[in-house]
Amino acid sequence: MNRINIKAAGLATALTSTIFYVGCALLIMLSGKDGAVFFFNSIFHGIDTTPIIRTSMPWWEMVFGILGVFIIAWFFGATVASFYNLTMSQRSNKESL
């Protein structure tokens, strides 16, 4: 069976999540509070996000958020790839018996 490269899976997940984080931050900055509330209320099935959305964010907080998302997502992607490789190697061992 094929194995997934753990580092590559972690990097792909981290980069994808980071792009979504930056896109989300840009959406909030460009659309303003009302636009952001409308968008997030729509995708969260009508849950009122008004109290938790803020449109002003210091640059250092955004950098910290980007780094945090990148690190957490890398570990997530690497963990998924590790579990996949582990279960596939166990499955191939059973098939060879």
Side-chain angles (χ1 to χ4, degrees):
M1 295 273 60
N2 293 336
R3 295 178 58 84
I4 297 176
N5 182 317
I6 294 171
K7 290 179 183 177
L11 183 62
T13 306
L15 290 175
T16 303
S17 299
T18 302
I19 289 169
F20 276 104
Y21 179 88
V22 171
C24 181
L26 287 174
L27 175 78
I28 290 174
M29 287 188 323
L30 297 175
S31 68
K33 183 161 182 136
D34 291 336
V37 167
F38 175 77
F39 177 75
F40 288 111
N41 284 353
S42 298
I43 65 171
F44 290 127
H45 307 289
I47 296 172
D48 186 18
T49 58
T50 306
I52 61 172
I53 290 182
R54 63 184 176 130
T55 54
S56 61
M57 177 188 278
W59 67 269
W60 57 267
E61 196 172 302
M62 185 173 178
V63 170
F64 183 73
I66 289 171
L67 291 173
V69 165
F70 185 89
I71 292 167
I72 291 168
W74 190 94
F75 279 114
F76 178 77
T79 302
V80 169
S82 297
F83 281 127
Y84 176 84
N85 290 341
L86 179 67
T87 58
M88 292 311 289
S89 67
Q90 290 176 352
R91 183 176 176 180
S92 65
N93 288 341
K94 288 180 183 177
E95 288 174 357
S96 65
L97 294 177

